[in-house]
Amino acid sequence: MRDYWEEPEVVHKKINSKKIIISVVVSILVIAFIVITALYITNVDFRSWIDVQIFRKEVSQDSVATIELEENQTTNVYAFNKYIGILNKNKLYVYGSTGSQETSLDIQINNPVFDSENRFLIVGESGGQKIYLIEDKEIAWESEIEGNITQVYVNKNGYVAVIMSDTSYKSVIQVFNPEGEALFKKFLSSTIAVDVSISNDNKYLAIAEVDTSGTVIQSNIRIIIIEKARTDPEDSEEKNYKSEQNKLLVNITYQKDNRIVCMYTDTINIIENDQETVVFDNQNKKITAQSVELDNYFATIQEESSGIFSANSVINIVDSQSRNTKNYTVDTSVKEMYTKGDIIALNLGTEVEFINTGGWLVKRYIASQEVTNVKVSDSIAGIIYRDKVEIINL
C-alpha cells in the first residue's frame, strides 16, 4: 500500500540553452540570407550597393595594373586565356594579370589577325602567309601557307582553320590539327567565306559563305566532314544550308552538341537536328549590336527610349539550347559590345561593364577618359589607350 500512495519522483529535464541559442542564431542567419538574396535579385539599387561595397566589383582607372606602351609605337593588343599579348616589331610580349611580362616570343608578323579559344592563340599575317599557333605561353607550331590570309580561327582543342584568297579562287580554307599538320584545303570558286567554325568534337568544319555575284545576295552554310576531307575534299560535304535570298550572313559558331548559331544582319538562327530555325528576329526592334561568340549563348543589345532625350540598352542573353532569355539593362547607349566565352563587355564611354551569361555584373571599370578599345577573354581584359594598356581581372 505504501508503494501505491507514494508520489512518483518528478524528473526535471535539463534545458540545453546552448543548443537553443545556436538554433535561433542559425535560423536568423538563414532568414537574413534569404532576404538579402531576394533583395539582391529583385532590387537594382540594393544589388548595385552590394556589388560595389561588399563584392568590390567596381574598379577605377588609378587602381588597376598597367602596361606602359612606348610613345608612337605601333602595337597590336590581344587578350587570350589569362594573358595580355602585345605584338610589336616581330615580338609577342606576354603579360600576366599583375602587368608583369612573363615571356616574349619571336613572331615574324607585322599586321596580325588573331583568334583564341581556351589556352590557344592563333596569329596570322593579314594579307601574308605566316601563321603561328601559341599554346599557353609557348609557340606550338608555325607554318607558311600559299595564298593571302584574310582570317584565322582556332577551336578549344587547337584545331585551326585559315581563310585565304588567291588569284584562282574567291576563298580557300585550309585546316590544321593541333600538331600543325595540314589536313586539307577547301576551294570556293564562286562564294566568299566570311567565317568558319570547327565543332567541339573536331569532326566538322562549318563554312559561312556569301555569293554577291548575282542580282541578289545568297548566303549559305556548308558543313564539311573533316576526316573525310583528308582523303577526298571534293566529296566531304555533309550538308549545305541555303538561306533566303538577300539575307546577309555575318558570323557562325559551333556550340554544345554540334549546334550552329548563325548571325545574319536581321536574324539569329540555329542549325540543330538538320534544321535551321530563326530564334531571334530584329524586325521592329532597335538592335545596336549582337554577337554569337559566347559559350552556348548569344547576345543582342536592344535600345529602348526612356525619355525624350534618353535611352536604355537592354542586353538580351539567350541560351542557345533552352532558348531561355536573361536580361541586363544599362541606363545609357552602349558604344561597343565585346564577347568571349562567358563574358560580355559593354563599353559605355567612360565606363566598361563586364557581365556574364547569367546576366550578373562581374566587374565595372570607371575611367577618367573615353574608352576606345577593349580586348577581352574569359578571365582577363585589356583597356587600350594610346600610351598604356590597363588590366582588368575578371
Side-chain angles (χ1 to χ4, degrees), residues 19-32:
K19 283 187 176 180
I20 292 175
I21 292 170
I22 291 173
S23 298
V24 170
V25 170
V26 169
S27 299
I28 291 171
L29 289 175
V30 169
I31 293 169

Side-chain angles (χ1 to χ4, degrees), residues 108 125 128-132 141-147 149 162 164 174 176 180 182 185:
Q108 301 300 312
E125 178 75 64
Q129 289 77 43
K130 295 285 289 185
I131 52 171
Y132 294 80
W141 56 265
E142 60 182 274
S143 184
E144 192 159 343
I145 60 179
E146 297 178 1
I149 297 170
V162 182
M164 301 167 286
Q174 188 164 11
F176 298 82
K185 286 183 180 180

Side-chain angles (χ1 to χ4, degrees), residues 43-306:
N43 189 301
V44 175
D45 293 334
F46 181 76
R47 181 166 63 245
S48 180
W49 186 88
I50 290 289
D51 284 343
V52 174
Q53 302 298 330
I54 306 299
F55 295 148
R56 302 296 180 185
K57 292 184 178 182
E58 187 170 284
V59 295
S60 60
Q61 187 172 20
D62 56 3
S63 65
V64 297
T66 300
I67 304 168
E68 301 293 337
L69 301 177
E70 295 178 15
E71 192 173 352
N72 299 323
Q73 80 178 55
T74 301
T75 57
N76 296 277
V77 181
Y78 197 80
F80 68 101
N81 198 6
K82 52 187 177 181
Y83 308 111
I84 298 292
I86 298 180
L87 182 61
N88 183 44
K89 297 179 181 178
N90 296 328
K91 284 273 190 181
L92 180 67
Y93 300 94
V94 180
Y95 296 85
S97 59
T98 62
S100 59
Q101 183 182 318
E102 300 200 1
T103 190
S104 64
L105 305 172
D106 291 322
I107 304 288
Q108 301 300 312
I109 286 176
N110 294 309
N111 186 24
V113 285
F114 295 100
D115 189 43
S116 66
E117 195 66 49
N118 198 2
R119 65 186 186 276
F120 296 101
L121 170 70
I122 184 73
V123 188
E125 178 75 64
S126 179
Q129 289 77 43
K130 295 285 289 185
I131 52 171
Y132 294 80
L133 181 69
I134 296 159
E135 184 176 357
D136 197 34
K137 295 182 291 184
E138 302 292 335
I139 297 175
W141 56 265
E142 60 182 274
S143 184
E144 192 159 343
I145 60 179
E146 297 178 1
N148 299 315
I149 297 170
T150 59
Q151 191 174 332
V152 292
Y153 167 87
V154 63
N155 81 346
K156 69 175 186 177
N157 302 312
Y159 277 75
V160 170
V162 182
I163 300 177
M164 301 167 286
S165 61
D166 66 13
T167 55
S168 303
Y169 298 91
K170 287 193 172 183
S171 290
V172 179
I173 297 95
Q174 188 164 11
V175 175
F176 298 82
N177 68 13
E179 290 72 43
E181 177 190 0
L183 300 181
F184 66 91
K185 286 183 180 180
K186 186 67 180 177
F187 299 92
L188 306 179
S189 57
S190 59
T191 58
I192 299 170
V194 294
D195 198 16
V196 291
S197 186
I198 296 173
S199 61
N200 292 333
D201 60 9
N202 315 315
K203 292 182 178 180
Y204 302 101
L205 167 72
I207 306 172
E209 304 175 35
V210 176
D211 185 354
T212 58
S213 60
T215 57
V216 296
I217 295 172
Q218 179 62 60
S219 300
N220 65 284
I221 299 155
R222 193 186 304 268
I223 310 299
I224 304 298
I225 304 172
I226 290 177
E227 188 58 38
K228 202 170 182 181
R230 297 183 66 174
T231 56
D232 189 2
E234 296 304 315
D235 190 33
S236 60
E237 184 176 308
E238 184 181 67
K239 288 282 184 179
N240 193 343
Y241 299 91
K242 291 188 178 294
S243 68
E244 298 174 15
Q245 291 185 340
N246 280 328
K247 281 182 69 70
L248 181 59
L249 184 59
V250 179
N251 192 213
I252 59 170
T253 186
Y254 264 109
Q255 295 189 355
K256 190 177 179 181
D257 299 326
N258 287 342
R259 191 180 305 108
I260 305 175
V261 185
C262 317
M263 188 173 82
Y264 295 87
T265 53
D266 58 346
T267 64
I268 292 179
N269 297 5
I270 288 180
I271 296 176
E272 190 173 26
N273 299 323
D274 295 332
Q275 295 291 326
E276 183 173 359
T277 307
V278 176
V279 292
F280 191 89
D281 195 332
N282 297 352
Q283 190 174 1
N284 301 321
K285 302 182 183 77
K286 188 177 181 181
I287 302 298
T288 58
Q290 55 186 14
S291 173
V292 298
E293 295 293 335
L294 289 162
D295 290 341
N296 304 315
Y297 288 84
F298 64 85
T300 68
I301 299 179
Q302 183 175 345
E303 199 167 279
E304 297 178 345
S305 176
S306 59

